[in-house]
Structure formats: C-alpha cells, structure tokens
Amino acid sequence: MKRAAVGAAYLLLVFIASYYFTNLWFELNWEFRGAPWADLVRGTAPTPFQYRALIPYLVRAVSGMHAGGRALVTAGSLFFWIQCASTFFLVLATGWWLACVFPRRGARVLALSIFLVLPFNYLLDRFLALRYPSDFPSLLFFTLGLIFIRRRRWGCFYPLFVIATFNRETTLLLTVIYLLTAWGTEPRRAVGMHLRLQLSLWTAAKALLFAAYRGNPGSEFVQAHVWQNLEFLSNPSAWPLFFSNLGYLWLPVLLFRRRIPDRFLRRAALAVYPYAIGMFLVGNMYELRIYGELIPLVLPAFLLLVREFAKEDAPRPREGRTV
C-alpha cells in the first residue's frame, strides 16, 4: 500500500512538472512563420519542415473526428497534450534508461534532473526561440531507442525506429550510436546486417516523405546554414549561448569521456562529434533545440562522472578504534 502511494505521488509529481514545463514552452516560444503549425496539419508547409509529418498527421486525423456536427477536440489542444504527454513519458523513459547504470529507485529520482537540463535547450535560448511539434516526441523516441539498442531488443527497436523517422530524420544518430557501441564487441557480419537494415528503413521512410510532399514549396532535402553558422561562431558575444547547450553538461562529458565507467555510454558519447558536424552543415547552431536528442546521451554520462569523482574524493575510513 505504501509503495503504491509513493508510486502514485511520483507520477503526480512528474505530471505536474511536465504540465508546467509544457505551458512555459508554449508561452515563451513561437511557431516558425515559414512553417505554421496549421500548414503542417494541412500538409502544405514548406519542406523540409513538412517532412516531420508524424505529429501533424496524428493531429489532423484526430481533430477531424466529429460528434454531433462538432469536432471532438481542437488541433491546438491536441498539440498541447501531445507535447505534455511526450514530456511526461520522457521522464519515465529517462528513469528506465538511468536504471541501466543506477539502482532502480535512485534512477527514478535522478530522472527528475532532466528538468534541470531541458530549459537550456527549449526555454532559455532567446536567440531563436522556436517550437516545433516534433521536438518532445523526438526526445522520447530517442531515449527509448537508446534503451532498446543497449538491451538489444530489436523487436521493439525497429518499429520505433521507423515511426520516429517519420517524426524527425535525426533517428540516423541512433544508427551511429549502434555502430560506435557494437564495433569490436559483436561479429562484424551482425553489425553490418543491422547497419544495412537501419539505413534501408531510414531511406525508405524518407523516400515516402519525399514522394508524399514533392509538390510542396521549399528545399527538396535539407537547408544549408554553413555561412550563418560561421558568422555565429565568429561572434564572441554568442559563445556563452553555445556553451550553455545541454546545460553545459557536454563540456565535462567530452573532457572526461575516458573516465565514464560504463562502456556503452563512453563509446556512445563519441556520437556528439558527428552530430555537431551535421548540425553545423544543415542546422542553425544558435537554435539550441536542435541538440535536444543529445540530452539522453549526456545526462547519464554526466551523472556517472559525478558519482565517480565523488567516490575518489570521499574520505577514507580511519583505522583503529571506532566510536
């Protein structure tokens, strides 16, 4: 009975925090004028924004349901509750993810620390404070994907991988992480098979999206932002914003990566480099929300480093008599 009450209180706390955070996210950020959410729902927004079609498609399908000549729910309400639910289940998934390297009860408590990191990427960046329907579902999918890769639950991973790719193309980073963590520990034939399968599924999903929205305005594949990013990096006044990415956690994680005791996380942390290069080429580096998928990588690695350094600095018990 007591355990059930504690569990219910924990879920209530997670819901309240998720609801509050979602409210802040909607209030402090704005839709990109070039791709309004209403256009995303209609399927007429410019590409590549329209390619992140999963959530707009769900909203269009559900908001189109009527009873007595009235819509059951508005598109705006659906967008809000999808983001709120994604945040709620993200916290639970983070607890599951942290339980891979921490005791289960401690992992649930540590999962709440994600609310200390999320604001840096989704609330505090006032340089380009945009919000997209794909943001928090992508974080949830990515966290689950990491769990399934680590535990080699391929029957769960591949359906998730396909669905998540229709939400955002950054699922390709999961393939990079699999390669980094599997290379040298699994037979090359098995690694090659999974790489080919993941790349084939990713390419097929993108091909379907290209075909579905080939008549939309915009760029066919991606947008290049190299010159804007070079200008951003050349401006010293913008450096504090960039270093605040991921709540500054990426700095100690990369500096002390070799000290991370968990091999999977130690190898997976290397994925930060190709992801950063990719965002330099096709993303706005000053739009910190685009680095959100790295939070499930960096947060547990940082927490493990804190535990390791705390062990080193802990005073040793004195020999002799004890009181």
Side-chain angles (χ1 to χ4, degrees):
M1 190 61 146
K2 184 178 179 181
R3 181 178 298 181
V6 171
Y10 177 78
L11 293 177
L12 179 61
L13 174 61
V14 173
F15 172 76
I16 292 173
S18 301
Y19 181 81
Y20 179 57
F21 184 86
T22 305
N23 269 294
L24 289 175
W25 185 68
F26 272 90
E27 291 177 6
L28 297 179
N29 302 312
W30 56 85
E31 297 179 23
F32 178 45
R33 294 179 181 177
W37 289 19
D39 289 352
L40 291 172
V41 172
R42 287 191 292 266
T44 59
T47 55
F49 307 102
Q50 188 63 62
Y51 293 147
R52 292 130 200 181
L54 178 66
I55 303 304
Y57 179 82
L58 290 176
V59 169
R60 181 173 59 185
V62 176
S63 62
M65 298 179 181
H66 291 76
R70 298 179 59 183
L72 293 176
V73 62
T74 64
S77 296
L78 276 172
F79 274 125
F80 178 88
W81 287 110
I82 287 174
Q83 300 305 314
C84 185
S86 296
T87 307
F88 175 84
F89 286 110
L90 169 65
V91 180
L92 300 186
T94 300
W96 189 15
W97 174 224
L98 290 174
C100 295
V101 289
F102 289 96
R104 182 174 299 178
R105 290 184 180 180
R108 292 176 181 174
V109 176
L110 289 174
L112 296 172
S113 65
I114 197 170
F115 285 113
L116 302 177
V117 183
L118 290 175
F120 287 92
N121 288 78
Y122 296 101
L123 298 181
L124 300 179
D125 177 10
R126 311 318 301 162
F127 199 97
L128 191 60
L130 300 178
R131 51 178 165 85
Y132 290 88
S134 59
D135 284 344
F136 288 98
S138 181
L139 260 176
L140 173 60
F141 291 144
F142 198 82
T143 304
L144 292 173
L146 286 172
I147 297 170
F148 295 149
I149 289 176
R150 183 185 182 105
R151 298 187 175 184
R152 297 302 190 258
R153 296 178 63 171
W154 300 119
C156 297
F157 173 79
Y158 281 109
L160 175 83
F161 183 80
V162 172
I163 294 171
T165 303
F166 284 104
N167 181 67
R168 188 178 288 179
E169 63 279 358
T170 48
T171 48
L172 198 59
L173 181 62
L174 289 171
T175 301
V176 175
I177 291 170
Y178 168 70
L179 176 61
L180 290 171
T181 55
W183 190 260
T185 62
E186 296 186 8
R188 292 186 179 182
R189 179 176 296 182
V191 174
M193 179 196 70
H194 283 292
L195 287 179
R196 288 191 296 271
L197 180 55
Q198 291 172 35
L199 291 174
S200 297
L201 291 172
W202 188 89
T203 302
K206 297 303 294 181
L208 286 174
L209 291 168
F210 291 154
Y213 301 111
R214 62 181 179 273
N216 288 39
S219 58
E220 186 173 355
F221 294 104
V222 295
Q223 291 182 324
H225 295 281
V226 174
W227 294 113
Q228 295 95 315
N229 290 332
L230 286 173
E231 183 179 356
F232 170 72
L233 291 175
S234 65
N235 181 9
S237 64
W239 295 350
L241 170 68
F242 180 73
F243 284 113
S244 73
N245 198 358
L246 307 172
Y248 301 96
L249 300 188
W250 65 278
L251 292 167
V253 166
L254 294 184
L255 285 173
F256 301 104
R257 187 191 65 84
R258 294 181 180 274
R259 301 286 301 277
I260 299 172
D262 182 75
R263 183 189 181 278
F264 183 95
L265 287 171
R266 186 170 61 249
R267 297 293 300 272
L270 292 170
V272 171
Y273 296 108
Y275 191 83
I277 293 172
M279 292 301 103
F280 172 77
L281 297 175
V282 302
N284 291 313
M285 293 184 67
Y286 44 84
E287 191 178 357
L288 297 189
R289 49 167 288 279
I290 67 176
Y291 300 95
E293 282 86 346
L294 295 178
I295 293 175
L297 274 183
V298 170
L299 179 59
F302 174 77
L303 293 174
L304 280 177
L305 283 173
V306 171
R307 186 177 68 178
E308 288 301 302
F309 292 147
K311 288 180 180 179
E312 292 180 2
D313 294 338
R316 296 180 180 179
R318 295 181 180 181
E319 297 181 359
R321 290 185 305 171
T322 59
V323 178

